[in-house]
Each structure stands twice: as C-alpha cells, then as structure tokens.
Amino acid sequence: METINQKQQGKALSRLEGALKVTGAAQYAGEYSAPDLLYGHVVNSTIPKGKIQKIYTEEILKLPGIIEIFTHENRPSLAWFNFQYSDMDAPPGSPFRPLHDAEIKYYGQPVALVVAESFEEARFAASVLKIDYEKEAFTTNFTNQLDDARAPKRGFATLLKPLPPKPKGDFDKAFDESPVQVSADDYYHGTEHHNPMEMHATTTMFEGEGKLTIYDKTQGTVNSQLYVANVFGLSFKDVRVIAPYVGGAFGSGLQPQYQLFMSVMAALELKRSVRVTLTRAQMYTFGHRPPTLQQIKVAAEMDGKITALHHKATAETSRFEDYTEVVVNWGNILYPVENTKLDYELVPVDVYSPLDMRAPGGSTGLHPLECALDELAYELKMDPLDLRLKNYAEQDDSENRPFSSKELKECYLQGAEKFGWYNRSPQPRSMRRGNRLVGYGMATGIWESMTLPAKAEATLTKEGKFRVRSAVTDIGTGTLTVMTQIAADALGVGLDEVEFEYGDSKMPFAPIQGGSYTVSTVGSAVVAACQALRKRLLKIAQKANGSLFETASESKVSLTNGHLSLSEKPDVAVSFQELLTVSGKRMIKASKTNIPNPLTLKKYTRAAHSAAFVEVEVDEELGVINVTRALTAVAAGTIVNPKTARSQIVGGMVWGISKALREETITDHRLGRYMNPNLAEYHIPVHADIHDLDVIFVEEKDDIVNPLGSKGLGEIGIVALPPAIANAVFHATGKRIHQLPIHFDMLL
Amino acid sequence: METTQLSRNTNTSKIDCIRTVTFTINGQSTQLQLPPWVSLLDALRHHLHLTGTKKGCDHGQCGACTVMCDGKRILSCLTLAVSKDQSSITTIEGIADNGELHPLQKAFIEYDAFQCGYCTPGQICSAVGMMQEGKAQNRAEVQELMSGNLCRCGANSQIIDAIMEVYIPETHE
Ligand code: FES
Ligand code: FES
C-alpha cells in the first residue's frame, strides 16, 4: 500500500462551510426558488387501512390560487414494475408507490398533492380536502401478533446486513450446566422517528426540454436520480439531483421519500417548478426505527467465563417490505462464546416500512446484551468492567477470523481511568448526593467499518488549483472538511489549493451516505483519484521535459508553488501552466473508482469499538433521571479531523441519552396512528438535559480497513450509551428496567 | 364549507384582504403586500427570500425560526407578519456587521457548535436575545434559557460552550 503524506489529516480544523452556516447563507433543499415556483402540500390518509372511496376535489379546485390536485385517479401513468421504485436501500418486498391506487396501507399515507400559487393556499386547501374511505380491520401492535413472527426474506439489502449466523455448540446444554445464569425476555424499545431539524423538502426546477434540476433532501444524490429516472421514465442525463446542504437526516434520507416523488410529478405535469415541503407531522409518515422485543440468556462459569449466549430479537415490519437490521450478531463478535443461538424474526403489521435510523440494529441489540452482562457481573460479584476484560475477544469468534485492528482494551482502561470508574462502590443505592441517588454504569460498543465502491475525480484547473469531486452529500458529518483534508494530503498540497465539490448527481458516483462508511468509501476514492492525477501530471511533465523527469515516480514528485518538481531536487520543476499547455487541454483530469478488495474483506472483521462510562443522578422521591456525566472512549483508527470527529461522537452520545431516557413515538393501537407526531411531545434532550460529555480517541493503527486507516464515527458514539445508562440507573436505584426509554414512573 | 364562496382566482393579490406591512429588516426598510394569515417566518422565507431563518416545526416547538424583533427574541412561526407592522426585525442575515462576523458566530465556528447547521440561525438569534435579556448568571441558567432551541445533531454542549465564551453575565452585587 502506498503511504499517504499526512499533513492536513489529524488537524482539528473548523468546518469549512462554517461561515455559511452561521450567517444563514447555506441553502437547503426547500430554500431554492424560481420565479414561477408553485407550492405543493401533501394530504395524508386519516385511516390506517382500507380504500379511498371518493376524493372531493371539485370544490377545492375553485379555491383561490389552486392549480391542481393530484390523486391516484389523475396522476400520470408511471413505471409498471416494482423494481423501478426500488433504490439502493430498499428492503426486500414491494416498495411503497405514492398515489398508486385507492388502497390505504398505513395511517398517514400520502393520498393527494394540492398545488397552489402560494404556500398558504396549498396548505389551506389540503386541510379542507374531504375524502371518503372504506375502512378495513387493521393491526399496528406487533407484540399482539407474535404468532406471526417469521424469518425475514432475503434480498439485496441483506447483503450489507447479514442475518444471524447459525447456532454454535449446544446452547441449551451449556446454559443449563453453567453455574451462573441470567435470563430475560422483556427487553423492549418503542418506535422512534429520525426527526432531522430540517423537514423533508424537494424543489424541482422545470428546465424545459424534459430536463429537471432537483434540490432534494437526501443522503444520496445518485440514489434520488436513479429513482426519479426509473419512476418517471426519464433519461439519467436529464435528471440532476443536488443536495448542497442537508439539515440532518440520520437515515431519513437514505431512501427517496415521497416529497421527491410529489414534487417531480407535479413539475412534470404542470411544466412549472414545484416545491414540496413536508410538515413536522408528516415527518412521521414514512420510515422509523422499528419497535423491537428482545430475549437474552447468558451463562458463565464462576470465574466469569461466558459459556452460553442466546439472543433473540422480534421486530416490527410493514406488510409490504421486510426491513431488517443487524441486531443479534454483535454478542459473539464482542465476546468469545462456544455455545450460541442467535435469532431474528419479523412481524408484519399495518405500518409504513421501518427505515435505517442512526445506528440501526446496533443501538437495538447492544442494549439487552450489555445490560445482561451487567446483571451477570452482579450475579458473579465481579466488577462489570472486569467481566468484559475476562471475556475479551482477541478474534471475531462468530466468523472465526481476526480483527483488522482492535484497541478496545485501551478504550476500557483509558476510559475507566479518566472517568474514575473504580471509585464506584459496587452496591446498588450505595452512592448519593443529597436526596439524589448516584449510579455509575458502563457498556461496550461496536460498529462495523464498511467500505463500498465509489468514484472520485481530481482536476488541475486552468487557474492552477485543484478540484476534487464526488456526488456524496454532507449531512452535517463534516464530509466537506474531512474530504478536503484527505485530498490535500493525497495531492501533497495545502488546504487553500484544493476545493472539494460534492452533493450533485452529476459528479462521480458515491453510494448513499450512511452506515458510517463515508470517510472510508469516498475518502478511499478521493485518495485514488488524487494519486491518478499526480501520475497523469508526471506523465505530462515527462512529455514536456523528458530527460529531467524520466526516472521519477509518482511518489517522488511534489506539487508546490504552482509547479511539479522532484521532491529531492526542487529546482527540477515544470509549472502547472506549462503542463496545461503541453496537455493541450483547459484542465487536466483524472478519475478513479475504488473497489475494496473482497478477499481482504473476507479475511478480517473490521469494526470500530467503544467503551462508555456514565454517571446518573436519580431523585430518590421523584425518580427523575439525569445523566450528569458520560465518557466514551473510542477506537476507530486514524482520526482525520479531531474536532468534527469529537462532534460526531458527542452527537451520538446525545442520541444515546435520548434513546435511553427521552424519545419514543407512541401509537394508539385502537386508532392505528401515532399520537405524538410533533416536537413538543416527541421528546429529545434540550440544552438543559445535556451535561458533561467527554470523548477519548485511543490510538489505533489499521493498515487493512482502507488506505486511510480510518473507521467511521457516525454510529459508534450511540450504541453503548443506552445500556450504560440503564446499568447506571440500576446501580443508583437497584431497579433493572428493560424498557427504553426509562421514565421516572418506572422507578417509583 | 365556508370557503367555497370565494371564486376561483389564481392571482393572490386580488384577494381583498391584502395588507401592506412596513418593517425594517436588518436595517433596511421593507414593504410587503400580504394576506393577514402569512406568518413572519413565511414572509421572510417565501416573500423576501431570506431563508437563513429556518422552519423546523411551524408550531413554536423547536426554536429554529427565532429572530430578533425590536430587541427581543421571538418565534417567527408563531407571529403573523401583519402584526409586526412598523417593527424592526433582525434575522441571522443581519447579525454580522458589514461582513465582520458577530463574536457568537465566530465562537460557533470555533467550538464546532453545529453539524448540519439547520438549527444554527435560531440558536444564534436566540443566544443574542438571551444575552440581551441578561438574566442568566451561569452556565446552568444559560442552558435553561436556551432550551427552547432544539438541536437534533446533538451539538448541545458545544452550543453552550460557544455562548459561554462570549457571554459575560452581569453581576448584581
Ligand atoms: S419553526 Fe418556529 S418554533 Fe419551530
Ligand atoms: S446542527 Fe443540526 S440540528 Fe443543530
């Protein structure tokens, strides 16, 4: 592997787009305008299941400013086949088709789009559009349908989300024969919604001659482009999707959502530019984290060695797709256990399909696992951290292969030291501050480090600067800043000389931005493209000045002060302008696709690890829980930018606190609808809820995972927090609560 | 349905309830012709194309739409534009001084007090208002008085760090 000059990487740079974001100049999808812009407002079904009988559009069309109302009855004819509605993240099954027919599959299903000259007219008309429905019996509570639980269907999406491995050894026997056992079947968390601060919006610019420029809130410009082209029968080159700034997504933008469909349909039909922005309530009418019920059984020898593990998850899905996530596979990657039984089942009910939400699967599965280990430690009268160290996995036992790198032990040790873990008195209810009980809890975290194929392009411009491009988005993760750092190093130039351009489907292919694989995936492509450009420039130099550069190789040249020169002999140089002249082109480009080596991928388990330590205070009379401090020690390879990296982890920790103590979408199963689709009743932590959060990045070197040696950080900050908090609550109060979020009334 | 008596009319300006609103926005006197039901937030975003002020809920639940009105922080989504006739409004676009970033804006960048940036204009306007109110005496009180501004990216601690860097509480001793 070629070594990369690491001058910019490792610097705690502030976000390059910072000034645009703090002055309001950064524009998001629903903020682009056109002189003839129309506003679309979506109408949603008010029943969970049945058929539309009649939509009374006639009177509404007479209201001022109303241009058109689209329903399943008058929508244009669209693609025929299911696969044409599919996208890079579609679960196995039949994708939901907006305005397809009269059938209602879930509460809140989009059933009409009102298009008007102004936002207010569209909104008003949508609010008074009367619709008759024929209701059918429905069920939305999967825990009442556990008899319907079945294995998930396999499909394209299951390639990236492996189903559980086969049973190993003899779980039942080993469990029964082990002296210490822990068992529970009531681990549960409810539905959660992504709720990015920016609501989903699409502005479709009707450019004429069949061409569309679409500003979409998405995590994948190419994914949206593919969907629009397929569904509306347009050619790829006529559809350009731009996502310059994305106001958070956390998974909600991994699939094209219905505002995209609506906006494009209306623009094509009306031959005008159309913007469709969802309301906050409508943000609860597509994907969500599925409520999941889990069982766990763990047994150990008296010395703490774990002998048997059974982890079973039963999750909700829709009637039309089998959404899956990796919930139960983690235990045997984290801990060597000879006898395992891991199961994962789905129960379809009348809801929209679940959708990956920040740390899908991992944040679900680690909760029972890491809580059960805490219970086991108490049964064994052993420190919970010592129990993890006793069962430390030197290799991935579930696949019988080594880790590409794993500094989890350092996470445990450095984290415990800095947090003061061993100051804890193990007895529950033994620590207090005034009328508040104090508890410490810890848990382990893991998240897979994937690399997918991606392409990037590097260019020497006519101004003698460098430009690097990828279609990737920046959903707030710091992609722009980090990619600029990576490109600068790969080219061997300063930050001011490179510009990273992104968020446009016209640019080289990048997969959807998720799974914590962006730095690894796009970063590797950027490195490859920059190296290809350096090679090309050297070739041109050799053409221009053959003898001087004859023996030089790509790694032996520098690009400084507008010249390509020999690193050893800087006075042997040729100017960028001369290179451009010799090439006979306005600019010199190189692009490269990075495809990770499948053999390497097969040989190693690649994952980021973490150890989380949490202190809670619980009001003894009121049961109110407060996370007073939390520390996460993370091993994730090379940290490209410590500042944005820290924010990723801290943001994940806030999500962990939210999952443990705050957020949940509540369903009224008699009505089949969500009861709190708004930010007042869907609780997320506010500033006053967040206290001392600390992050340690332990050193970890990884030559295998990708050329940057860097693992993703988007998810690893969350996964360990909920169990660590639940364990701390136990330590404080002596109560084991297996449901999330934990509310004060459960402690009273 | 009481609205159906309005005849079909695609030209909004012909609705006879249109009002003229005159306000100063970021130091500039501005006049708009608006129906009375347009919120200040939508007037800014749709009519003046000042999209720096964000909409996160439209229901007064998130703080993303916070602007300064006559020196006080308000939620522009819960404010009808016509009710602010003759007022002076400062939006995020008017917080910097002639291209020189406000100290809070600088601190937000320095402390990495945002990720996606969507809650940021509201956080900054709210913090400007909170500082002028001068009630908060310490970090905990700043946290409390900033709690109407949600941040889904979880940049909460950095936001408070950035504010604390700039805010010097008045001491009443
Ligand atoms: S948009 Fe005004 S408070 Fe959310
Ligand atoms: S920075 Fe994204 S919501 Fe606050």
Side-chain angles (χ1 to χ4, degrees):
Chain A
M1 190 179 313
E2 289 162 273
T3 50
I4 296 156
N5 167 353
Q6 293 206 335
K7 279 203 204 120
Q8 302 305 332
Q9 290 171 66
K11 279 193 189 162
L13 273 192
S14 294
R15 279 165 215 268
L16 299 177
E17 80 284 17
L20 296 176
K21 284 181 174 170
V22 299
T23 56
Q27 265 186 302
Y28 297 76
E31 298 175 347
Y32 284 80
S33 200
D36 67 338
L37 186 74
L38 293 174
Y39 293 81
H41 208 278
V42 178
V43 181
N44 303 78
S45 81
T46 52
I47 63 160
K49 192 174 182 155
K51 280 198 179 51
I52 302 171
Q53 278 179 331
K54 187 168 162 61
I55 305 187
Y56 297 85
T57 53
E58 220 167 277
E59 287 302 295
I60 304 299
L61 280 166
K62 289 185 202 145
L63 291 176
I66 303 303
I67 303 290
E68 186 56 283
I69 300 173
F70 293 98
T71 68
H72 66 283
E73 286 166 342
N74 68 345
R75 64 155 173 82
S77 61
L78 298 166
W80 273 91
F81 301 106
N82 269 336
F83 73 84
Q84 292 167 301
Y85 291 79
S86 211
D87 68 276
M88 295 181 197
D89 197 34
S94 318
F96 174 70
R97 302 172 172 204
L99 306 187
H100 181 60
D101 56 20
E103 189 187 341
I104 300 297
K105 294 174 151 72
Y106 69 98
Y107 186 95
Q109 175 175 324
V111 291
L113 179 75
V114 180
V115 184
E117 294 283 353
S118 76
F119 165 70
E120 290 81 6
E121 287 160 328
R123 179 178 58 185
F124 175 69
S127 73
V128 293
L129 180 66
K130 187 168 135 51
I131 302 175
D132 289 342
Y133 297 98
E134 183 187 316
K135 293 184 192 166
E136 282 170 31
F138 63 88
T139 172
T140 51
N141 188 354
F142 84 101
T143 59
N144 283 348
Q145 311 292 126
L146 293 177
D147 290 346
D148 296 348
R150 55 162 174 77
K153 291 185 205 121
R154 283 158 197 276
F156 182 69
T158 26
L159 283 180
L160 290 181
K161 296 172 174 177
L163 295 174
K166 295 211 172 69
K168 230 171 51 177
D170 186 340
F171 168 81
D172 293 320
K173 182 159 175 280
F175 185 82
D176 289 343
E177 288 173 0
S178 296
V180 187
Q181 301 162 341
V182 165
S183 165
D185 60 3
D186 60 347
Y187 281 92
Y188 178 80
H189 73 79
T191 306
E192 296 168 22
H193 280 86
H194 307 72
N195 275 308
M197 285 309 296
E198 177 203 19
M199 295 169 299
H200 273 239
T202 304
T203 310
T204 302
M205 302 296 184
F206 188 76
E207 313 274 16
E209 289 164 31
K211 286 197 195 311
L212 301 177
T213 303
I214 302 167
Y215 296 91
D216 185 32
K217 179 184 177 77
T218 177
Q219 290 171 255
T221 53
V222 182
N223 200 32
S224 292
Q225 178 198 30
L226 177 106
Y227 177 84
V228 168
N230 280 341
V231 169
F232 295 95
L234 304 171
S235 97
F236 278 148
K237 64 175 193 335
D238 290 339
V239 180
R240 179 176 177 195
V241 177
I242 301 176
Y245 292 99
V246 181
F250 316 109
S252 67
L254 285 173
Q255 296 195 258
Q257 302 305 350
Y258 66 79
Q259 91 285 344
L260 171 66
F261 173 96
M262 296 288 184
S263 160
V264 170
M265 174 193 64
L268 286 172
E269 285 300 290
L270 301 170
K271 307 206 178 341
R272 298 223 355 219
S273 298
V274 179
R275 179 195 295 158
V276 177
T277 304
L278 301 188
T279 64
R280 181 54 64 187
Q282 287 168 338
M283 292 299 291
Y284 297 76
T285 58
F286 55 96
H288 55 274
R289 194 194 297 282
T292 306
L293 182 65
Q294 298 180 76
Q295 270 177 32
I296 195 144
K297 288 182 171 185
V298 193
E301 301 291 355
M302 289 311 294
D303 65 355
K305 168 125 192 39
I306 300 173
T307 50
L309 168 70
H310 170 47
H311 187 176
K312 176 177 176 179
T314 311
E316 171 220 71
T317 191
S318 71
R319 299 243 187 239
F320 45 97
E321 285 169 312
D322 272 13
Y323 168 83
T324 63
E325 43 191 33
V326 179
V327 178
V328 298
N329 305 12
W330 306 103
N332 201 211
I333 305 176
L334 277 176
Y335 306 108
V337 187
E338 271 161 30
N339 306 285
T340 62
K341 202 165 85 178
L342 308 172
D343 296 312
Y344 179 68
E345 292 186 330
L346 298 179
V347 179
V349 288
D350 298 302
V351 295
Y352 192 79
S353 301
L355 169 64
D356 287 332
M357 176 163 156
R358 201 169 183 184
S363 65
T364 298
L366 288 185
H367 166 224
L369 178 72
E370 289 298 302
C371 288
L373 254 78
D374 201 69
E375 287 190 40
L376 191 63
Y378 274 89
E379 293 292 320
L380 289 158
K381 299 198 172 28
M382 202 172 171
D383 181 88
L385 177 52
D386 295 344
L387 176 66
R388 268 89 174 177
L389 290 168
K390 170 86 191 170
N391 290 283
Y392 193 80
E394 298 294 349
Q395 68 148 16
D396 171 2
D397 238 36
S398 71
E399 295 275 357
N400 221 339
R401 63 187 183 188
F403 291 100
S404 64
S405 63
K406 181 183 172 184
E407 296 295 345
L408 174 60
K409 202 170 267 171
E410 276 304 306
C411 295
Y412 287 141
L413 300 178
Q414 292 183 26
E417 165 78 31
K418 189 157 185 217
F419 181 85
W421 173 256
Y422 288 107
N423 299 335
R424 167 185 187 265
S425 89
Q427 198 54 38
R429 300 182 75 91
S430 62
M431 288 163 62
R432 59 165 63 235
R433 267 178 217 130
N435 62 348
R436 283 157 299 163
L437 299 162
V438 174
Y440 287 5
M442 63 85 53
T444 313
I446 180 169
W447 189 259
E448 203 192 358
S449 307
M450 272 191 281
T451 308
L452 301 178
K455 191 176 176 183
E457 174 195 273
T459 305
L460 173 65
T461 66
K462 63 178 194 304
E463 293 80 25
K465 298 269 187 201
F466 295 93
R467 189 183 69 200
V468 178
R469 286 175 154 176
S470 157
V472 70
T473 50
D474 183 344
I475 51 174
T477 43
T479 309
L480 163 65
T481 310
V482 165
M483 289 305 148
T484 308
Q485 290 175 276
I486 292 172
D489 286 347
L491 287 164
V493 302
L495 275 179
D496 307 343
E497 282 156 273
V498 204
E499 205 165 320
F500 182 70
E501 296 182 352
Y502 65 99
D504 187 336
S505 65
K506 260 186 144 171
M507 295 179 184
F509 171 84
I512 42 179
Q513 182 172 33
S516 294
Y517 53 63
T518 297
V519 167
S520 180
T521 298
V522 179
S524 301
V526 163
V527 169
C530 290
Q531 285 171 348
L533 180 65
R534 285 170 58 92
K535 275 195 195 131
R536 180 150 305 162
L537 294 176
L538 175 61
K539 255 211 176 122
I540 298 169
Q542 286 164 337
K543 207 160 131 195
N545 236 326
S547 55
L548 292 174
F549 293 99
E550 207 167 27
T551 56
S553 68
E554 184 262 323
S555 57
K556 298 269 158 54
V557 297
S558 306
L559 304 173
T560 35
N561 299 326
H563 288 73
L564 180 149
S565 59
L566 291 181
S567 309
E568 311 257 280
K569 276 191 251 156
D571 46 331
V572 177
V574 45
S575 76
F576 291 165
Q577 289 313 325
E578 197 179 337
L579 292 176
L580 285 158
T581 312
V582 174
S583 77
K585 299 214 177 85
R586 276 187 30 250
M587 42 192 156
I588 303 169
K589 273 190 200 175
S591 54
K592 194 94 189 166
T593 303
N594 179 65
I595 299 174
N597 180 345
L599 290 178
T600 317
L601 303 191
K602 255 199 128 94
K603 272 207 300 233
Y604 298 93
T605 293
R606 294 145 295 131
H609 289 85
S610 70
F613 299 87
V614 168
E615 178 192 281
V616 298
E617 283 182 1
V618 182
D619 186 294
E620 201 176 3
E621 279 105 54
L622 302 175
V624 175
I625 306 162
N626 197 2
V627 176
T628 39
R629 60 196 184 97
L631 178 147
T632 303
V634 182
T638 307
I639 301 303
V640 181
N641 181 333
K643 189 184 272 192
T644 54
R646 184 181 179 280
S647 294
Q648 277 284 76
I649 299 301
V650 167
M653 292 168 75
V654 172
W655 271 63
I657 293 170
S658 189
K659 185 174 173 60
L661 302 176
R662 292 281 182 276
E663 67 185 271
E664 182 174 18
T665 317
I666 317 270
T667 312
D668 184 329
H669 293 295
R670 293 163 308 173
L671 302 171
R673 60 176 278 211
Y674 298 133
M675 299 311 289
N676 56 337
N678 59 69
L679 290 176
E681 294 161 305
Y682 186 94
H683 294 168
I684 62 168
V686 299
H687 294 312
D689 295 323
I690 299 301
H691 303 289
D692 183 1
L693 302 182
D694 199 0
V695 181
I696 302 176
F697 289 111
V698 310
E699 242 182 77
E700 185 176 74
K701 200 169 150 24
D702 195 320
D703 294 329
I704 293 155
V705 65
N706 58 49
L708 302 160
S710 178
K711 301 172 180 173
L713 296 169
E715 268 90 2
I716 188 68
I718 307 177
V719 289
L721 259 284
I725 291 170
N727 294 339
V729 167
F730 168 75
H731 181 227
T733 64
K735 293 207 170 99
R736 289 279 176 202
I737 308 294
H738 291 167
Q739 288 88 47
L740 297 183
I742 302 173
H743 286 157
F744 66 94
D745 53 331
M746 300 172 180
L747 298 174
L748 296 178
Chain B
M1 213 177 303
E2 92 248 50
T3 49
T4 46
Q5 73 240 27
L6 294 172
S7 64
R8 185 162 193 196
N9 181 350
T10 53
N11 186 349
T12 315
S13 65
K14 283 193 198 134
I15 301 177
D16 58 4
C17 52
I18 294 288
R19 304 280 199 287
T20 302
V21 196
T22 311
F23 32 33
T24 307
I25 305 222
N26 300 330
Q28 260 189 322
S29 172
T30 309
Q31 210 173 65
L32 283 176
Q33 310 285 321
L34 294 171
W37 49 75
V38 174
S39 70
L40 178 60
L41 175 58
D42 292 328
L44 292 169
R45 285 170 65 85
H46 299 159
H47 296 262
L48 296 169
H49 302 290
L50 288 171
T51 54
T53 307
K54 303 302 182 195
K55 186 185 282 189
C57 68
D58 225 6
H59 281 68
Q61 299 170 341
C62 75
C65 64
T66 308
V67 297
M68 296 292 293
C69 175
D70 300 327
K72 289 205 177 75
R73 49 177 173 163
I74 61 164
L75 296 176
S76 61
C77 72
L78 292 188
T79 308
L80 293 172
V82 291
S83 73
K84 291 299 165 194
D85 192 35
Q86 305 304 323
S87 293
S88 172
I89 314 276
T90 306
T91 69
I92 189 68
E93 288 93 344
I95 297 284
D97 187 10
N98 268 326
E100 171 71 10
L101 294 183
H102 185 283
L104 257 179
Q105 292 174 312
K106 288 187 194 159
F108 265 62
I109 297 175
E110 177 59 28
Y111 282 86
D112 210 27
F114 51 88
Q115 298 199 30
C116 77
Y118 199 79
C119 73
T120 312
Q123 304 279 0
I124 291 175
C125 288
S126 187
V128 168
M130 187 274 304
M131 297 200 302
Q132 284 181 16
E133 288 155 20
K135 287 195 202 116
Q137 294 300 307
N138 52 44
R139 188 181 172 101
E141 289 174 14
V142 168
Q143 282 179 297
E144 192 66 38
L145 292 174
M146 285 298 298
S147 280
N149 289 81
L150 301 179
C151 174
R152 184 56 156 167
C153 292
N156 309 72
S157 336
Q158 301 95 295
I159 291 168
I160 303 300
D161 289 345
I163 295 171
M164 293 311 286
E165 166 79 25
V166 177
Y167 183 49
I168 303 161
E170 284 171 49
T171 42
H172 307 280
E173 274 158 46

